[in-house]
Amino acid sequence: SKYEYVKSFEVEDKLMPSTWIVVRIDGRHFHQFSDEHEFEKPNDKQALELMNSCAEALLEEFKDVVFAYGVSDEYSFLFKKTSEFYQRRASKIVSILVSFFSSLYVMKWKTFFPLKELKTIPCFDARAICYPSTKIVRDYFSWRQVDCHINNQYNTCFWMLIKSGKTKREAQDILKGTQTPEKNEILFQLGINYNELPAMFRKGSCVFRDKVEEIVKYNQDGDPVKRLRTKVGTVHRDIIGDTFWREHPEILSD
Amino acid sequence: SKYEYVKSFEVEDKLMPSTWIVVRIDGRHFHQFSDEHEFEKPNDKQALELMNSCAEALLEEFKDVVFAYGVSDEYSFLFKKTSEFYQRRASKIVSILVSFFSSLYVMKWKTFFPLKELKTIPCFDARAICYPSTKIVRDYFSWRQVDCHINNQYNTCFWMLIKSGKTKREAQDILKGTQTPEKNEILFQLGINYNELPAMFRKGSCVFRDKVEEIVKYNQDGDPVKRLRTKVGTVHRDIIGDTFWREHPEILSD
Amino acid sequence: SKYEYVKSFEVEDKLMPSTWIVVRIDGRHFHQFSDEHEFEKPNDKQALELMNSCAEALLEEFKDVVFAYGVSDEYSFLFKKTSEFYQRRASKIVSILVSFFSSLYVMKWKTFFPLKELKTIPCFDARAICYPSTKIVRDYFSWRQVDCHINNQYNTCFWMLIKSGKTKREAQDILKGTQTPEKNEILFQLGINYNELPAMFRKGSCVFRDKVEEIVKYNQDGDPVKRLRTKVGTVHRDIIGDTFWREHPEILSD
Amino acid sequence: SKYEYVKSFEVEDKLMPSTWIVVRIDGRHFHQFSDEHEFEKPNDKQALELMNSCAEALLEEFKDVVFAYGVSDEYSFLFKKTSEFYQRRASKIVSILVSFFSSLYVMKWKTFFPLKELKTIPCFDARAICYPSTKIVRDYFSWRQVDCHINNQYNTCFWMLIKSGKTKREAQDILKGTQTPEKNEILFQLGINYNELPAMFRKGSCVFRDKVEEIVKYNQDGDPVKRLRTKVGTVHRDIIGDTFWREHPEILSD
Ligand SMILES: Nc1nc2c(ncn2[C@H]2C[C@H](O)[C@@H](COP(=O)(O)OP(=O)(O)OP(=O)(O)O)O2)c(=O)[nH]1
Ligand SMILES: Nc1nc2c(ncn2[C@H]2C[C@H](O)[C@@H](COP(=O)(O)OP(=O)(O)OP(=O)(O)O)O2)c(=O)[nH]1
Ligand SMILES: Nc1nc2c(ncn2[C@H]2C[C@H](O)[C@@H](COP(=O)(O)OP(=O)(O)OP(=O)(O)O)O2)c(=O)[nH]1
Ligand SMILES: Nc1nc2c(ncn2[C@H]2C[C@H](O)[C@@H](COP(=O)(O)OP(=O)(O)OP(=O)(O)O)O2)c(=O)[nH]1
Ligand SMILES: O=P(O)(O)OP(=O)(O)OP(=O)(O)O
Ligand SMILES: O=P(O)(O)OP(=O)(O)OP(=O)(O)O
Ligand SMILES: O=P(O)(O)OP(=O)(O)OP(=O)(O)O
Ligand SMILES: O=P(O)(O)OP(=O)(O)OP(=O)(O)O
Ligand SMILES: [Mg+2]
Ligand SMILES: [Mg+2]
Ligand SMILES: [Mg+2]
Ligand SMILES: [Mg+2]
Ligand SMILES: [Mg+2]
Ligand SMILES: [Mg+2]
Ligand SMILES: [Mg+2]
Ligand SMILES: [Mg+2]
Ligand SMILES: [Mg+2]
Ligand SMILES: [Mg+2]
Ligand SMILES: [Mg+2]
Ligand SMILES: [Mg+2]
């Protein structure tokens, strides 16, 4: 039609070829959302596992996503460098991932919160970022995990102080300017060994495809017949050091 | 932390100030999704009303969205020219709208399809487009409504021919190269007056805020006390001509 | 060749259709360049006329440029809204204009400075900016002319104080925090009527095509035969008010 | 002033950090420019040396440019990956380089063409492209040198055929569809050994900083006192293979 010229106002938004694409989604107003749904403080196991379950389903659907890292109300998804998903169009990639994740979050809610009604509409923002080298991709995930650690340590201290009877104001004043050793000391005083807290809280969650041995059937002798299968799974590991990446070289391989 | 430099790879993506922003979302693989959920052909009243209901809720939430137009698996949302929603950052705007809409779509599914299970994950793509003048914004919506008309007329003919016993191939051959009058003739032969089909199918759906008279209470005499209130509602109107826009000057006013 | 894939790293950089494009160029390190070439302070008539002459030649060459405004070491060029110059590719437009201007500046140098050698390499930066409405385009040029006025008034005062024997430090201190009336007073004390300074210094320079009457030939009676011809010319006028634009409606017409 | 808001329409255009930036400039309408200035066909030694001289001066001025490659009417400039030149703003980088080059081209014209007047205004377009890895940067320059070879071989054949008395049409027909060996055969028939043509024509020109031994002074015995100095120079070498890059590891080092 004579109106079709309006399509020419759409701008090409291709992401640079041969770079790693990270899509980070983050819950919108999740401070409020967590309150409304009475998430446990500072970490709600169910809420985090809901996020992880959505991320796993997302990796099942989108084969070009090779790794994901989640913490708090956010998740980062890594596309392999050579991905041609939607010809690398930024708004396609960003919108499809965040839409898919949002739908899943609502669909899976009842599984993780069988007794809680979904009262308000969960919503996530999203952005795409390109990284030119694996080194910088590693630094990206280190950034998120350091953030996880710092926030989690602070929040754990804070809520333990609250539980111990302090006001929010008092807890803030006590923590102001403290470093890691002092925070550990505070936790120790309150009877908490930080390193014994669940790894999911301390390390966040890594989702990726892994080779797993699977029992396909049992033969006549009753012996299991096994096969290697690729399966999406979640672990809570340090991703700042080299160990994890050395154990999973396929993630960052070209 | 020393990793924070990775944030510098994020690119500023502000949309041009003083322009109209349209965000169009479109169902991903809805050909398949419609099949899987046995949507009526060519138009499923419930599916369309689910979309409209989501759009209405979206306008209730985001005050800067002044108008929306929906047809088939797509919806276009218009931000007023002066909007400073998320400082006009494209990926924020696009991701938040599509995420919100997707969550709503799942949450409202049961209301519109009480007997149908949601079998697969609904997913939408989204993009933002800027338009520098109201004239071009008008042309944008005309473009979508002309598209609605052309597709709907074709699809109505097609599925009526199928119902009348033709194969898909035969129906396609009959329709190839036909213009509006010929299609109307075909429909007439099959006993359909195109203009009597539901306006929602022929015109699509317009969502916007309107002044409505509301009965606040009844006074002692039993007379209703009315008040003008702004309410989001949906109509199925021609938006190509001037009439609609003249009747609702506030939509495109600065 | 197998290397051609590298071209895919070039990014599309089309400027929004139906918007006014302004390309502003600005002398790089012209503080230094002006010193090295002993430009008169605060305004060097020859230097400004060289700039104007380059701008005129640029308008002669590029028909889509409908207006230009220059002050100090900068020039702004306005493309009409409908221009399809290099399909509106930003880097083509920016680079070609600034390259053309730079070449001209060197080529014309001798004409305006017959006794001065060009000692260092004149260099300009450039950028393209889109404006969605004529109102904002007008505001753009008002911005530049207000800037011209403020800088020129300050600089005129400053250099007059220097001429009158003040040190740079003293001159700065005298002018700190002064408003227009106080500056006029200072100039008056030094025997200068600001409004009698050359309009080119006070108003900057406007370059555009204008209809001029031209004598084509003389007929037998010796009477001149005239014809209207379009010619690029320069004027020094107020462009903040409406008068100029009303007198030249073709500049901002669609 | 109240007009300053117009500055908010400028868009941030930073190039991705930690990537190699290539700025390629290319003569505008140089087909015509070469004709107007009667450049020798297919290669004008003086014209190419003028280009090289401008490129050398450019590297002297802009320390972040580590390498340049020129052929025909084009030159590519490579910025090191870590460059923060103008905070990596694309339009600053593109405009400043092309402006500087253009000014130089005019300023140096007389040196290379003492007997030819500059009749028209030399003008170059320019663009910036980012490359995420050294491998792709190498491929970029290979792309340009392969292009140099293919064009030069074709053009050499073409103009030799013309010189031998063929019409342009006949020459084109002879060359249509020929491969390298056939072209070499044609040249051989015309008494030309392609490999004995000047390296500048066959390989293009590489400009970069190199350590050179320089005689600083002579001591009492009359022996020269030498020192290593970094100097910008031009060579005509193969840059597709590894040899050149191995000999100059500092160019592509981080
Ligand atoms: N109680 C509780 N709150 C959580 C949990 N995970 C995340 N949150 C809350 C705490 C934070 O206030 C919020 C995440 O911080 P953000 O910086 O993303 O802020 P928020 O989402 O409120 O705003 P935004 O729209 O992202 O700018 O989510 C949890 O497991 N338990
Ligand atoms: N049966 C039925 N199908 C519908 C209805 N509304 C939309 N659809 C289907 C028909 C079309 O195949 C599809 C919309 O066309 P699109 O061009 O958006 O294609 P699709 O979503 O399959 O692919 P995409 O991911 O958008 O490229 O949705 C409906 O009311 N009833
Ligand atoms: N003496 C003299 N100087 C002038 C004249 N026109 C411009 N200039 C000088 C004064 C300013 O220092 C300079 C223009 O200011 P800018 O803000 O453009 O600074 P500059 O070009 O030095 O740096 P830039 O590379 O643009 O950031 O040019 C003139 O007519 N006479
Ligand atoms: N005679 C002669 N011509 C040359 C020489 N170097 C370049 N040229 C001419 C031949 C080509 O027609 C032209 C370069 O080709 P381009 O593809 O850059 O085309 P042109 O500059 O005409 O158009 P453009 O504005 O870049 O699209 O320059 C030379 O050394 N001698
Ligand atoms: O961690 P981010 O990137 O979300 O940082 P932020 O401070 O939330 O900023 P924004 O979401 O506005 O980019
Ligand atoms: O109508 P659109 O813009 O969705 O057009 P399309 O043909 O679906 O193209 P795409 O979604 O790939 O932009
Ligand atoms: O007047 P401008 O836009 O040149 O402003 P500036 O302060 O010189 O900034 P820049 O040239 O760095 O955009
Ligand atoms: O070699 P290039 O990139 O200049 O290729 P082109 O065919 O000249 O195209 P354009 O200059 O229009 O990008
Ligand atoms: Mg955020
Ligand atoms: Mg959040
Ligand atoms: Mg968060
Ligand atoms: Mg589409
Ligand atoms: Mg669709
Ligand atoms: Mg659709
Ligand atoms: Mg500047
Ligand atoms: Mg300057
Ligand atoms: Mg300036
Ligand atoms: Mg070109
Ligand atoms: Mg050229
Ligand atoms: Mg060329």
Side-chain angles (χ1 to χ4, degrees), chain C residues 111-155:
Chain C
T111 313
F112 291 85
F113 294 110
L115 304 175
K116 275 184 195 171
E117 198 200 345
L118 186 52
K119 290 180 186 168
T120 54
I121 299 132
C123 180
F124 298 84
D125 73 32
R127 73 195 76 190
I129 318 144
C130 290
Y131 291 112
S133 72
T134 48
K135 196 224 160 253
I136 308 180
V137 169
R138 287 271 311 267
D139 284 351
Y140 173 80
F141 288 109
S142 297
W143 177 50
R144 299 322 303 141
Q145 195 168 51
V146 165
D147 214 58
C148 166
H149 174 69
I150 288 168
N151 289 333
N152 190 56
Q153 217 189 22
Y154 182 95
N155 292 337

Side-chain angles (χ1 to χ4, degrees), chain D residues 224-243:
Chain D
V225 178
K226 292 173 179 173
R227 208 185 41 177
L228 269 186
R229 204 172 69 87
T230 296
K231 227 188 122 176
V232 172
T234 304
V235 302
H236 314 290
R237 295 275 306 273
D238 173 89
I239 53 173
I240 299 171
D242 293 337
T243 314

Side-chain angles (χ1 to χ4, degrees), chain A residues 39-186:
Chain A
F39 283 3
E40 273 184 47
K41 287 170 175 173
N43 291 293
D44 187 294
K45 190 167 172 298
Q46 290 310 102
L48 294 172
E49 286 184 345
L50 168 54
M51 294 287 285
N52 294 346
S53 176
C54 293
E56 288 188 359
L58 194 149
L59 264 86
E60 295 284 6
E61 177 77 14
F62 300 107
K63 297 308 175 197
D64 281 7
V65 178
V66 292
F67 182 73
Y69 175 74
V71 48
S72 180
D73 67 338
E74 75 171 56
Y75 240 101
S76 298
F77 299 98
L78 177 67
F79 283 81
K80 60 183 164 122
K81 230 162 79 171
T82 54
S83 176
E84 285 299 327
F85 190 60
Y86 281 89
Q87 304 109 67
R88 304 177 76 88
R89 290 164 64 187
S91 56
K92 286 275 184 184
I93 294 172
V94 161
S95 60
I96 284 169
L97 256 65
V98 80
S99 170
F100 195 81
F101 194 93
S102 304
S103 285
L104 281 167
Y105 193 90
V106 178
M107 290 169 82
K108 287 173 178 283
W109 177 269
K110 266 259 123 359
T111 313
F112 290 86
F113 294 110
L115 305 175
K116 274 183 195 171
E117 198 200 345
L118 187 51
K119 288 181 189 168
T120 53
I121 299 133
C123 181
F124 298 84
D125 73 31
R127 74 195 75 189
I129 317 142
C130 291
Y131 291 112
S133 72
T134 48
K135 197 226 160 249
I136 309 180
V137 169
R138 286 274 310 267
D139 284 351
Y140 174 81
F141 287 109
S142 296
W143 177 50
R144 299 323 302 141
Q145 194 169 52
V146 165
D147 213 58
C148 166
H149 173 70
I150 288 167
N151 289 333
N152 189 57
Q153 215 188 25
Y154 182 94
N155 292 337
T156 306
C157 283
F158 183 82
W159 289 108
M160 284 300 141
L161 288 166
I162 299 296
K163 268 194 198 153
S164 79
K166 305 286 186 215
T167 64
K168 290 193 176 186
R169 190 59 191 273
E170 287 166 348
Q172 272 165 18
D173 288 347
I174 290 167
L175 291 171
K176 188 171 288 173
T178 55
Q179 298 298 312
T180 292
E182 292 144 284
K183 291 209 194 70
N184 277 331
E185 179 59 24
I186 291 166

Side-chain angles (χ1 to χ4, degrees), chain A residues 92, chain B residues 26 125 127:
Chain A
K92 286 275 184 184
Chain B
D26 182 286
D125 73 33
R127 73 196 76 189

Side-chain angles (χ1 to χ4, degrees), chain C residues 26-35 38-45 47-48 71-74 125 155 159, chain D residues 86 92:
Chain C
D26 183 286
R28 181 174 185 250
H29 298 343
F30 259 48
H31 183 78
Q32 195 183 318
F33 186 87
S34 307
D35 276 356
E38 295 174 321
F39 283 2
E40 272 183 47
K41 288 168 176 172
N43 292 292
D44 187 295
K45 189 166 173 295
L48 294 172
V71 49
S72 179
D73 68 339
E74 75 172 55
D125 73 32
N155 292 337
W159 291 106
Chain D
Y86 281 90
K92 285 276 185 184

Side-chain angles (χ1 to χ4, degrees), chain B residues 34-35 38-44 155 159-160 163 168:
Chain B
S34 306
D35 276 356
E38 295 174 321
F39 283 1
E40 272 185 47
K41 287 170 175 170
N43 292 293
D44 188 295
N155 292 337
W159 290 108
M160 284 300 141
K163 268 193 197 155
K168 290 193 176 186

Side-chain angles (χ1 to χ4, degrees), chain A residues 175-211:
Chain A
L175 291 171
K176 188 171 288 173
T178 55
Q179 298 298 312
T180 292
E182 292 144 284
K183 291 209 194 70
N184 277 331
E185 179 59 24
I186 291 166
L187 287 173
F188 182 76
Q189 302 277 344
L190 296 165
I192 305 274
N193 183 338
Y194 185 75
N195 291 320
E196 285 171 2
L197 292 179
M200 181 165 70
F201 298 172
R202 287 181 293 113
K203 298 288 175 204
S205 301
C206 303
V207 180
F208 56 99
R209 276 171 213 90
D210 208 358
K211 293 269 186 306

